[in-house]
Amino acid sequence: MLRMGVFARSLAIAGLTCFACSAYAAADAGASPIGSSNTTTADPTVPRPPGQPCVVQLFSNDTFNDFGTRPYSYAPPTGCGTRWAKVVLEADFSVTAGRQFDRTAMIWLGGVNLYFGTTAEPSATVARSWHVERDLTDYSALLRNTGQGQAILWNGVDSTYTGVLHGSAKLLFYPASGRAPAPRVPDQVISLGSDPVGNIANLSTSTDQLAKTLSLPRNVERAYLDVFAQSQHNDEFWYTCVPDQYAALVNECGGGNFREAEVSIDGQPAGVAPIYPWIYTGGIDPYLWRPVPGVQTMNFMPYRVDLSPFAGVLSDGAQHTVAVSVAGANNYFSTAATLLVYQDRHARQISGRVTRNTLIDQAPVPTIASTLDGTGNGDITTNLSRHFVIEGYVDTSHGRVQNSVDQTVSFADTQAFTINASTYRQVTDQLTAMDGVSRSRIGPIVTREYRQQVSYPLHVDYDQPVAADGSFAAATTVQQGYSLHRSRAFAGITLYADHVDNTVNSADTLDFDASGNLTGHSGQASTQAFAFGDSWGGCYRADVASAAGAVTAYSSGQGCPGGQNGVYWFSHPDGSPDQGDALLDW
């Protein structure tokens, strides 16, 4: 049973009631998708507070048929105040029927990333459309000012690749009220990118960096970094690659399969961001993802790194370089990162330092082993586990605050090969995980505690038997998961806890003739199950299934009280970053 405490009880009494959120994240959310071949997910939308939002259109029905950007001008809403209960980005995209690659889509403002994801691939007779949302409340400081933004969705259109993409996006600002007060949000929102409007940085090797040298205020109390790292080009299928010494033997990409984002401050290791193995709608076998895409394929979630132990260092008045690199990068990862800074409201200058950092002596070097024989049969394993603690203090207007980050990050991968004259089979089993806790103390009192456990399981079975006439089939099954468990506590009292579980299972078989020409496919089937729950009774459940390229089953709310989805407006049922500040700082 959750111990709500005085603070939690006061929120309940204030009327933070549950609302039924839409399960089907599409423009026709009220209609059943059964029978549809359009892109369909079980993902939740962003929950909303009560009240009518102010709307700012960023761009409307832009056409993306070249490799140019689509600029727009932004101004904050009028008559809606400057502190909002919630800010939500809504974007709608579509692609015409025809042939087209999956494309990376991004929305930027003032150098800061507002949205990052990829697009659906069309088919010859099926145009596709999809809807995405992102909670941008933590980026309110950016959104209070006018600025220049741009949408980037590079798309080549010619006589072969005919699919034309279109998109619209808007921001919804929900005014603060007694029922939905404005949460404490970062005082500064700073992109690490060099483009003043916004663009990604491509990191081709482990030594490449996305970095910015900053002069920050003298009163930084806490800091976080939102990190995106998207695999591209040779690294798109990094999760199936093997170390260089085995690549030729098993006919796979080299470079190994360990990837991890490393965060540094002035060259000193400052944190780690595990990388999710996103699979795009053209990945491995495009039919796997029609109509149900992979986990987060259309809407990536950033990973938030707690840099608060470095608050005292960042407040010393000197310039500091914050950087992101990708361990194992092998051409290339597209990266974006946003620094979120909280300042002491009652002091213009504070001081402090880092007192402990055990990450410094733990280089991200995995252990690799192989049981391969001379024909390529056997396993290749890659493993790495690190536990580190980073501690620091900052002398603030309310006393000395001790900040600590204690984390264990682990990576385990097995590539199993069966290779002979009639079979090529590769089975990938990978698990990336992080278990950590961030704490702030004033004297003996823990004033802030945030626990987080994440895991990214991936299973890919690619089986390619060859028939006597030289024709062959490529049967693929993919099991992809995203699991997140979080809790927030004050003075040893748990205020709130939640969990997110998102799984996608897909299968399909491609058929080829003896010349390697695709002759058809069969057995397409997929399922997605999305579940969210919290310690206050919030609940979301949705499931979707497909076969032969069309939705065959869809359910929403089954397993929730009364068979209805209901979550609190400040919840993050999609797994987006949340350090609990909405609960701790009102």
Side-chain angles (χ1 to χ4, degrees), residues 438-492:
S438 296
R439 293 188 180 94
S440 296
R441 298 176 181 269
I442 298 179
I445 304 300
V446 178
T447 59
R448 180 183 305 274
E449 181 176 282
Y450 176 75
R451 292 183 177 272
Q452 178 172 274
Q453 295 174 306
V454 298
S455 63
Y456 307 154
L458 176 68
H459 173 83
V460 180
D461 187 336
Y462 179 87
D463 189 6
Q464 182 181 302
V466 179
D469 63 358
S471 63
F472 60 95
T476 304
T477 59
V478 178
Q479 299 167 3
Q480 194 179 25
Y482 176 92
S483 178
L484 172 64
H485 296 260
R486 299 176 288 200
S487 67
R488 301 88 167 149
F490 173 80

Coordinates of all heavy atoms in Angstrom, one line a residue, residues 438-492:
S438 N 18.9 8.3 -7.7 CA 19.5 9.6 -7.4 C 18.9 10.1 -6.1 O 17.7 10.0 -5.9 CB 19.1 10.5 -8.6 OG 19.7 10.1 -9.8
R439 N 19.8 10.7 -5.3 CA 19.3 11.3 -4.0 C 19.9 12.7 -3.8 O 21.0 13.0 -4.2 CB 19.8 10.4 -2.9 CG 19.1 9.0 -2.8 CD 19.5 8.3 -1.5 NE 18.9 7.0 -1.4 CZ 19.5 5.9 -1.8 NH1 20.7 5.9 -2.3 NH2 18.9 4.7 -1.6
S440 N 19.1 13.5 -3.1 CA 19.6 14.8 -2.6 C 19.3 14.8 -1.1 O 18.2 14.4 -0.6 CB 18.8 15.9 -3.2 OG 19.1 16.0 -4.6
R441 N 20.3 15.2 -0.3 CA 20.2 15.3 1.1 C 20.6 16.6 1.6 O 21.4 17.3 1.1 CB 21.2 14.3 1.8 CG 21.0 12.8 1.5 CD 22.1 12.0 2.1 NE 21.9 10.6 1.8 CZ 21.3 9.7 2.6 NH1 20.7 10.1 3.7 NH2 21.2 8.4 2.2
I442 N 19.9 17.1 2.7 CA 20.3 18.2 3.5 C 20.5 17.7 4.9 O 19.5 17.3 5.5 CB 19.2 19.3 3.4 CG1 19.1 19.9 2.0 CG2 19.6 20.5 4.3 CD1 18.0 21.0 1.8
G443 N 21.7 17.6 5.3 CA 22.0 16.9 6.6 C 21.6 15.5 6.4 O 21.9 14.8 5.4
P444 N 20.9 14.9 7.4 CA 20.5 13.5 7.4 C 19.2 13.2 6.6 O 18.9 12.1 6.4 CB 20.3 13.2 8.8 CG 19.9 14.4 9.5 CD 20.6 15.5 8.7
I445 N 18.6 14.3 6.2 CA 17.2 14.2 5.5 C 17.4 14.0 4.0 O 18.0 14.8 3.4 CB 16.3 15.4 5.8 CG1 16.2 15.6 7.3 CG2 15.0 15.2 5.2 CD1 15.6 14.4 8.1
V446 N 16.8 12.9 3.5 CA 16.8 12.8 2.0 C 15.6 13.6 1.5 O 14.4 13.2 1.7 CB 16.6 11.3 1.7 CG1 16.5 11.1 0.1 CG2 17.8 10.5 2.2
T447 N 15.9 14.7 0.9 CA 14.9 15.6 0.4 C 14.3 15.2 -1.0 O 13.3 15.7 -1.4 CB 15.4 17.0 0.3 OG1 16.5 17.1 -0.6 CG2 15.8 17.5 1.7
R448 N 15.1 14.4 -1.7 CA 14.7 14.0 -3.0 C 15.3 12.6 -3.3 O 16.5 12.4 -3.2 CB 15.1 15.0 -4.1 CG 14.8 14.6 -5.5 CD 15.4 15.7 -6.4 NE 15.0 17.0 -6.0 CZ 13.8 17.6 -6.4 NH1 13.0 17.0 -7.2 NH2 13.5 18.8 -6.0
E449 N 14.4 11.6 -3.7 CA 14.9 10.3 -4.1 C 14.2 9.8 -5.3 O 12.9 9.8 -5.3 CB 14.8 9.3 -3.0 CG 15.3 7.9 -3.3 CD 15.2 6.9 -2.2 OE1 16.1 7.0 -1.3 OE2 14.3 6.1 -2.2
Y450 N 14.9 9.5 -6.3 CA 14.3 9.0 -7.6 C 15.0 7.7 -8.0 O 16.2 7.7 -8.2 CB 14.5 10.1 -8.7 CG 14.0 9.6 -10.0 CD1 12.7 9.6 -10.3 CD2 14.9 9.2 -11.0 CE1 12.2 9.2 -11.6 CE2 14.4 8.8 -12.3 CZ 13.1 8.8 -12.6 OH 12.6 8.4 -13.8
R451 N 14.2 6.6 -8.0 CA 14.7 5.3 -8.4 C 14.2 5.0 -9.8 O 13.0 5.2 -10.1 CB 14.2 4.2 -7.4 CG 14.9 4.4 -6.1 CD 14.4 3.2 -5.1 NE 15.1 3.3 -3.9 CZ 16.3 2.7 -3.6 NH1 16.9 2.1 -4.5 NH2 16.9 2.9 -2.4
Q452 N 15.0 4.3 -10.6 CA 14.6 4.0 -11.9 C 15.3 2.7 -12.3 O 16.5 2.5 -12.1 CB 15.0 5.1 -12.9 CG 14.7 4.8 -14.4 CD 14.9 6.0 -15.3 OE1 14.1 6.8 -15.4 NE2 16.1 6.0 -15.9
Q453 N 14.5 1.8 -12.9 CA 15.0 0.6 -13.5 C 14.5 0.5 -15.0 O 13.3 0.6 -15.2 CB 14.5 -0.7 -12.8 CG 15.0 -0.8 -11.3 CD 14.4 -2.0 -10.6 OE1 13.1 -2.1 -10.5 NE2 15.2 -2.8 -10.1
V454 N 15.4 0.3 -15.9 CA 15.0 0.2 -17.3 C 15.6 -1.1 -17.9 O 16.7 -1.5 -17.5 CB 15.4 1.4 -18.1 CG1 14.8 2.7 -17.7 CG2 16.9 1.6 -18.2
S455 N 14.9 -1.7 -18.8 CA 15.5 -2.8 -19.5 C 15.0 -2.8 -20.9 O 13.8 -2.5 -21.2 CB 15.2 -4.1 -18.8 OG 13.8 -4.4 -18.8
Y456 N 15.9 -3.2 -21.9 CA 15.6 -3.2 -23.3 C 15.9 -4.6 -23.8 O 17.0 -4.8 -24.4 CB 16.4 -2.2 -24.0 CG 16.4 -0.7 -23.5 CD1 17.5 0.1 -23.7 CD2 15.3 -0.2 -22.8 CE1 17.5 1.4 -23.3 CE2 15.3 1.1 -22.4 CZ 16.4 1.9 -22.6 OH 16.4 3.2 -22.2
P457 N 15.0 -5.5 -23.7 CA 15.2 -6.9 -24.3 C 14.9 -6.9 -25.8 O 14.0 -6.3 -26.3 CB 14.2 -7.7 -23.5 CG 13.1 -6.8 -23.2 CD 13.7 -5.5 -22.9
L458 N 15.8 -7.6 -26.5 CA 15.6 -7.8 -27.9 C 15.9 -9.2 -28.3 O 17.0 -9.7 -28.0 CB 16.5 -6.8 -28.7 CG 16.5 -7.0 -30.2 CD1 15.1 -6.6 -30.8 CD2 17.6 -6.1 -30.9
H459 N 15.1 -9.8 -29.1 CA 15.3 -11.2 -29.7 C 15.0 -11.1 -31.2 O 13.9 -10.7 -31.6 CB 14.4 -12.2 -29.0 CG 14.5 -13.6 -29.6 ND1 15.5 -14.5 -29.3 CD2 13.7 -14.2 -30.6 CE1 15.3 -15.6 -30.0 NE2 14.2 -15.4 -30.8
V460 N 16.0 -11.5 -32.0 CA 15.8 -11.5 -33.4 C 16.3 -12.9 -33.9 O 17.4 -13.3 -33.7 CB 16.6 -10.4 -34.2 CG1 16.4 -10.5 -35.7 CG2 16.3 -9.0 -33.7
D461 N 15.4 -13.6 -34.6 CA 15.7 -14.9 -35.2 C 15.5 -14.8 -36.7 O 14.4 -14.6 -37.2 CB 14.7 -16.0 -34.6 CG 15.1 -17.4 -35.0 OD1 15.8 -17.5 -36.1 OD2 14.7 -18.3 -34.3
Y462 N 16.7 -14.9 -37.4 CA 16.7 -14.8 -38.8 C 17.1 -16.1 -39.4 O 18.3 -16.6 -39.2 CB 17.6 -13.7 -39.3 CG 17.7 -13.6 -40.8 CD1 16.8 -12.8 -41.5 CD2 18.7 -14.2 -41.5 CE1 16.9 -12.6 -42.9 CE2 18.8 -14.1 -42.9 CZ 17.9 -13.3 -43.6 OH 18.0 -13.2 -45.0
D463 N 16.2 -16.8 -40.1 CA 16.5 -18.2 -40.5 C 16.3 -18.3 -42.0 O 15.2 -18.0 -42.6 CB 15.5 -19.2 -39.8 CG 15.8 -20.6 -40.1 OD1 16.9 -20.9 -40.7 OD2 15.0 -21.5 -39.7
Q464 N 17.4 -18.6 -42.7 CA 17.3 -18.6 -44.2 C 17.7 -20.0 -44.8 O 18.9 -20.2 -45.1 CB 18.3 -17.5 -44.7 CG 18.3 -17.4 -46.2 CD 19.3 -16.3 -46.7 OE1 19.2 -15.2 -46.3 NE2 20.3 -16.7 -47.5
P465 N 16.8 -20.9 -44.9 CA 17.1 -22.2 -45.5 C 17.1 -22.1 -47.1 O 16.3 -21.3 -47.6 CB 15.9 -23.1 -45.1 CG 14.8 -22.1 -44.8 CD 15.4 -20.8 -44.4
V466 N 17.9 -22.9 -47.7 CA 18.0 -22.9 -49.2 C 17.5 -24.2 -49.7 O 17.9 -25.3 -49.2 CB 19.5 -22.7 -49.6 CG1 19.6 -22.7 -51.1 CG2 20.1 -21.4 -49.0
A467 N 16.6 -24.1 -50.7 CA 16.0 -25.3 -51.3 C 17.0 -25.9 -52.3 O 18.0 -25.3 -52.7 CB 14.7 -25.0 -52.0
A468 N 16.7 -27.1 -52.8 CA 17.5 -27.8 -53.8 C 17.7 -27.0 -55.1 O 18.7 -27.1 -55.8 CB 17.0 -29.2 -54.0
D469 N 16.6 -26.3 -55.5 CA 16.7 -25.5 -56.7 C 17.4 -24.2 -56.6 O 17.4 -23.4 -57.5 CB 15.3 -25.4 -57.3 CG 14.4 -24.5 -56.4 OD1 14.8 -24.1 -55.3 OD2 13.2 -24.3 -56.9
G470 N 17.9 -23.9 -55.4 CA 18.6 -22.6 -55.2 C 17.7 -21.5 -54.7 O 18.2 -20.4 -54.2
S471 N 16.4 -21.7 -54.7 CA 15.5 -20.7 -54.1 C 15.6 -20.7 -52.6 O 16.1 -21.8 -52.0 CB 14.0 -20.9 -54.5 OG 13.6 -22.2 -54.0
F472 N 15.2 -19.7 -51.9 CA 15.4 -19.7 -50.5 C 14.3 -18.8 -49.9 O 13.7 -17.9 -50.5 CB 16.8 -19.2 -50.1 CG 17.2 -17.8 -50.5 CD1 17.0 -16.7 -49.7 CD2 17.7 -17.6 -51.8 CE1 17.4 -15.5 -50.1 CE2 18.1 -16.3 -52.2 CZ 17.9 -15.2 -51.4
A473 N 14.1 -18.9 -48.6 CA 13.2 -18.1 -47.8 C 14.0 -17.5 -46.6 O 15.0 -18.0 -46.2 CB 12.1 -19.0 -47.3
A474 N 13.5 -16.3 -46.2 CA 14.1 -15.6 -45.1 C 13.0 -15.4 -44.0 O 12.2 -14.5 -44.2 CB 14.7 -14.3 -45.5
A475 N 13.0 -16.3 -43.0 CA 11.9 -16.2 -42.0 C 12.5 -15.4 -40.8 O 13.6 -15.8 -40.3 CB 11.5 -17.6 -41.5
T476 N 11.8 -14.4 -40.4 CA 12.3 -13.5 -39.3 C 11.2 -13.4 -38.2 O 10.0 -13.2 -38.5 CB 12.6 -12.1 -39.8 OG1 13.6 -12.2 -40.9 CG2 13.2 -11.3 -38.7
T477 N 11.6 -13.6 -37.0 CA 10.8 -13.2 -35.9 C 11.5 -12.2 -35.0 O 12.8 -12.4 -34.8 CB 10.4 -14.4 -35.0 OG1 11.6 -15.1 -34.5 CG2 9.6 -15.4 -35.9
V478 N 10.8 -11.2 -34.5 CA 11.4 -10.2 -33.7 C 10.6 -10.0 -32.4 O 9.3 -9.9 -32.5 CB 11.5 -8.8 -34.4 CG1 12.1 -7.8 -33.4 CG2 12.4 -9.0 -35.6
Q479 N 11.2 -10.0 -31.3 CA 10.5 -9.7 -30.0 C 11.3 -8.6 -29.4 O 12.5 -8.7 -29.1 CB 10.6 -11.0 -29.1 CG 9.8 -12.2 -29.6 CD 10.1 -13.4 -28.9 OE1 10.8 -13.5 -27.9 NE2 9.5 -14.5 -29.4
Q480 N 10.6 -7.5 -29.2 CA 11.2 -6.2 -28.8 C 10.5 -5.7 -27.5 O 9.2 -5.7 -27.5 CB 11.1 -5.2 -29.9 CG 11.9 -4.0 -29.8 CD 11.7 -3.1 -31.1 OE1 10.7 -3.2 -31.7 NE2 12.7 -2.3 -31.4
G481 N 11.2 -5.3 -26.5 CA 10.6 -4.8 -25.3 C 11.2 -3.6 -24.7 O 12.3 -3.2 -25.1
Y482 N 10.4 -2.9 -23.9 CA 10.8 -1.7 -23.2 C 10.1 -1.7 -21.9 O 8.9 -1.8 -21.8 CB 10.3 -0.4 -24.0 CG 10.6 0.9 -23.3 CD1 11.8 1.6 -23.5 CD2 9.7 1.5 -22.4 CE1 12.1 2.8 -22.9 CE2 10.0 2.7 -21.8 CZ 11.2 3.3 -22.1 OH 11.5 4.5 -21.5
S483 N 10.9 -1.8 -20.8 CA 10.4 -1.9 -19.5 C 11.0 -0.8 -18.6 O 12.2 -0.6 -18.6 CB 10.7 -3.3 -18.8 OG 10.2 -3.4 -17.5
L484 N 10.1 -0.1 -17.8 CA 10.6 1.0 -17.0 C 9.8 1.0 -15.7 O 8.6 1.0 -15.7 CB 10.3 2.4 -17.8 CG 10.5 3.7 -17.0 CD1 12.0 3.8 -16.7 CD2 10.0 4.8 -17.9
H485 N 10.5 1.1 -14.6 CA 9.9 1.1 -13.3 C 10.6 2.3 -12.5 O 11.8 2.4 -12.5 CB 10.2 -0.1 -12.5 CG 9.5 -1.3 -13.1 ND1 8.3 -1.8 -12.6 CD2 9.8 -2.1 -14.2 CE1 7.9 -2.9 -13.4 NE2 8.9 -3.1 -14.3
R486 N 9.7 3.2 -12.0 CA 10.2 4.4 -11.3 C 9.5 4.6 -10.0 O 8.4 4.2 -9.8 CB 10.0 5.6 -12.2 CG 10.6 5.6 -13.6 CD 10.3 6.8 -14.4 NE 8.9 6.7 -14.9 CZ 8.5 7.4 -16.0 NH1 9.3 8.2 -16.6 NH2 7.2 7.3 -16.4
S487 N 10.2 5.3 -9.1 CA 9.5 5.7 -7.8 C 10.2 7.0 -7.4 O 11.4 7.3 -7.6 CB 9.6 4.7 -6.7 OG 11.0 4.5 -6.3
R488 N 9.4 7.9 -6.7 CA 9.9 9.1 -6.1 C 9.5 9.2 -4.7 O 8.4 8.8 -4.3 CB 9.2 10.3 -6.8 CG 9.4 10.4 -8.3 CD 8.3 9.6 -9.0 NE 8.3 9.9 -10.5 CZ 7.9 9.0 -11.3 NH1 7.5 7.7 -10.9 NH2 7.8 9.3 -12.6
A489 N 10.5 9.6 -3.9 CA 10.3 9.6 -2.4 C 10.8 10.9 -1.8 O 11.7 11.6 -2.4 CB 11.0 8.4 -1.8
F490 N 10.2 11.3 -0.7 CA 10.7 12.4 0.1 C 10.7 12.0 1.5 O 9.8 11.5 2.1 CB 9.7 13.6 -0.1 CG 9.9 14.8 0.9 CD1 10.9 15.7 0.5 CD2 9.2 14.9 2.0 CE1 11.2 16.7 1.4 CE2 9.5 16.0 2.9 CZ 10.5 16.9 2.6
A491 N 11.9 12.2 2.2 CA 12.1 11.9 3.6 C 11.7 10.4 3.9 O 11.2 10.1 4.9 CB 11.3 12.8 4.5
G492 N 12.0 9.6 2.9 CA 11.8 8.1 3.1 C 10.3 7.7 2.8 O 10.0 6.6 3.0

